Amino acid sequence: MRFRHPDGSTVHLAYCTNVHPAETLDGVLAQLRDHCEPVRRRLGRDRLGIGLWLARDAARSLITDPASLRALRAELDRRGLEVVTLNGFPYEGFGADEVKYRVYRPDWTHPDRLAHTTDLARLLAALLPEDVTEGSVSTLPLAWRTPFDTEAAAIARAALTTLAGRLDALEELTGRSIRIGLEPEPGCVVETVADAVAALTTAPDAHPHPGPAPGPTAGPGPRIGVCLDTCHLATSFEDPRTALDALAAAGLPVPKAQLSAALHAEQPHLPEVRAALAAFAEPRFLHQTRTRTAAGLRGTDDLPEALAASGHRATTAHGLPDATPWRSHFHVPLHAPPAPPLTSTLPVLQDALALLVGGPHPVTRHLEVETYTWQALPPESRPRTRARLADGIAAELTLARDLLTDLGLKELP
């Protein structure tokens, strides 16, 4: 979906296909037929943007077989779909029964991550619509936080610098500008926007501790910025204005933003709230959980850990204090917040979106609804058929569309 910003530029809205796991090219083609085109038809649109997720095997098939790449481009056109952004965070296995910590491998210290992201950039340059010259790829925020030391930071930084050089060469060759966004996520080396500023503007040995860098220095360059995920932002209790001001001050771009909402529990000490939260503690994905205390942000790697030890039993190492609200990294559907006593962080998304595209010029032109947890919802909330899933995705996109038009953007045919 395309929108005209009041400044005359085009803002793209898509939904991410990592909600439809597929590891192979055949699986990707089936996604377009079975899911993406039906969503487009429900919206009554001639054209729908998708944030394509290409796992390693699918990406390699396309890189090594130009005919397959041409066939994918033709299939997108035939089904009324377009791609301006790719989700390069999951490498493979995102549809496995248990993903958890595996989604963070390989990280940016491993050459496979650089090779895969390079492949994605080359593929995106070939998949962009004829009238679009800018593409974006979101990626892992360097690594999971442990183990990660100064040496690892230097290796990751060198890989990003190499990638930036490859992106420069790609634009020279194709005329297409591809930018990469590190996606801050709770529990990772880059958990917050402040961490992203430190990682991308300061040499690893100059600023070894998390938090804002003392001032911008030479980094990987303008090709590498931040993918702002509003679920992750909310989970870490970051203020959208403070985060975006920090990125602007550091001169870091926002190649894309992911529109998503986290799970919010206002009174986690109540038994009924804990019971409601327990329904979201499932075995497939990590649901990092955070709370703000007088001593600062506290958190656990997963929701079951938070529920297992909290309140007076919570220690520095285990559990969460439950006198203040909790937020959990669970991408809940935008249009359908959980039933009371829980809710979602949709207001944080709305605040961030107003700052991203509600000003005189858009901070980013690529927006992506990324709710990949439909089948991880409590059983009574899961869509039981493809049709129900398509209905839900279309409803999320409709909500996002309405938020954009309320901000003064005009939906384009």
Side-chain angles (χ1 to χ4, degrees):
M1 300 168 75
R2 298 187 183 194
F3 297 81
R4 182 73 68 206
H5 190 273
D7 75 348
S9 63
T10 300
V11 173
H12 295 264
L13 173 66
Y15 88 91
C16 185
T17 64
N18 63 357
V19 65
H20 316 302
E23 301 291 318
T24 66
L25 180 55
D26 285 345
V28 171
L29 295 172
Q31 287 177 348
L32 306 184
R33 179 193 67 224
D34 296 338
H35 300 288
C36 302
E37 186 177 12
V39 171
R40 177 182 66 76
R41 292 186 181 281
R42 278 164 173 74
L43 291 167
R45 305 286 305 173
D46 293 332
R47 175 174 52 190
L48 176 67
I50 57 172
L52 199 58
W53 174 57
L54 296 172
R56 179 199 61 177
D57 288 349
R60 288 308 301 166
S61 296
L62 292 165
I63 285 288
T64 57
D65 183 4
S68 293
L69 181 55
R70 289 192 296 270
L72 174 58
R73 176 65 184 267
E75 189 71 358
L76 289 166
D77 292 341
R78 187 169 77 87
R79 298 195 180 278
L81 307 169
E82 66 177 14
V83 176
V84 303
T85 187
L86 299 179
N87 188 327
F89 194 134
Y91 180 76
E92 62 184 351
F94 201 61
D97 290 339
E98 182 179 328
V99 178
K100 299 287 184 181
Y101 294 95
R102 294 194 302 172
V103 75
Y104 307 106
R105 299 194 298 265
D107 62 32
W108 274 100
T109 66
H110 198 287
D112 285 350
R113 177 60 66 171
L114 173 60
H116 179 58
T117 310
T118 302
D119 284 349
L120 294 179
R122 291 171 177 163
L123 293 171
L124 182 56
L127 292 172
L128 287 176
E130 293 296 336
D131 61 343
V132 175
T133 59
E134 294 184 358
S136 60
V137 181
S138 50
T139 188
L140 178 76
L142 299 187
W144 186 252
R145 69 181 183 278
T146 55
F148 197 85
D149 55 18
T150 301
E151 181 182 1
I155 293 170
R157 185 184 184 86
L160 290 174
T161 301
T162 298
L163 176 65
R166 292 177 180 178
L167 297 176
D168 287 341
L170 182 64
E171 183 172 14
E172 257 189 67
L173 180 66
T174 66
R176 304 293 179 86
S177 174
I178 307 299
R179 295 191 299 174
I180 307 299
L182 301 186
E183 184 184 327
E185 176 167 313
C188 292
V189 172
V190 174
E191 172 161 345
T192 66
V193 166
D195 296 336
V197 170
L200 293 174
T201 63
T202 309
D205 57 351
H207 190 66
H209 304 293
T217 63
R223 299 281 184 189
I224 313 294
V226 171
C227 169
L228 199 69
D229 184 299
T230 58
C231 170
H232 303 171
L233 189 79
T235 300
S236 294
F237 288 88
E238 291 193 84
D239 172 64
R241 183 174 293 279
T242 301
L244 286 165
D245 284 351
L247 291 173
L252 291 174
V254 182
K256 69 186 285 188
Q258 289 173 323
L259 307 183
S260 53
L263 190 62
H264 180 94
E266 186 67 20
Q267 296 180 298
H269 65 284
L270 296 177
E272 60 269 29
V273 175
R274 300 176 70 81
L277 284 168
F280 287 83
E282 52 83 38
R284 187 171 174 186
F285 300 110
L286 275 186
H287 300 297
Q288 302 93 316
T289 304
R290 299 288 185 265
T291 190
R292 282 189 298 190
T293 71
L297 198 67
R298 291 277 299 278
T300 60
D301 285 355
D302 211 350
L303 182 54
E305 297 171 33
L307 292 169
S310 60
H312 68 280
R313 292 175 293 143
T315 68
T316 301
H318 301 288
L320 279 183
D322 57 14
T324 51
W326 288 5
R327 289 178 179 174
S328 190
H329 173 217
F330 195 117
H331 289 225
V332 295
L334 302 186
H335 68 291
L342 303 179
T343 187
S344 82
T345 60
L346 182 63
V348 177
L349 183 160
Q350 292 172 294
D351 290 346
L353 190 61
L355 295 167
L356 286 165
V357 300
H361 304 287
V363 176
T364 184
R365 289 187 290 273
H366 294 175
L367 303 172
E368 178 183 71
V369 171
E370 198 216 10
T371 305
Y372 58 83
T373 43
W374 282 94
Q375 299 305 333
L377 290 168
E380 66 275 10
S381 301
R382 295 174 194 167
R384 296 298 183 183
T385 64
R386 289 177 184 169
R388 291 289 180 88
L389 178 58
D391 290 342
I393 294 169
E396 288 194 294
L397 287 167
T398 297
L399 182 147
R401 179 197 66 195
D402 292 346
L403 292 177
L404 290 172
T405 56
D406 287 347
L407 290 170
L409 282 73
K410 180 181 178 181
E411 187 177 6
L412 297 175

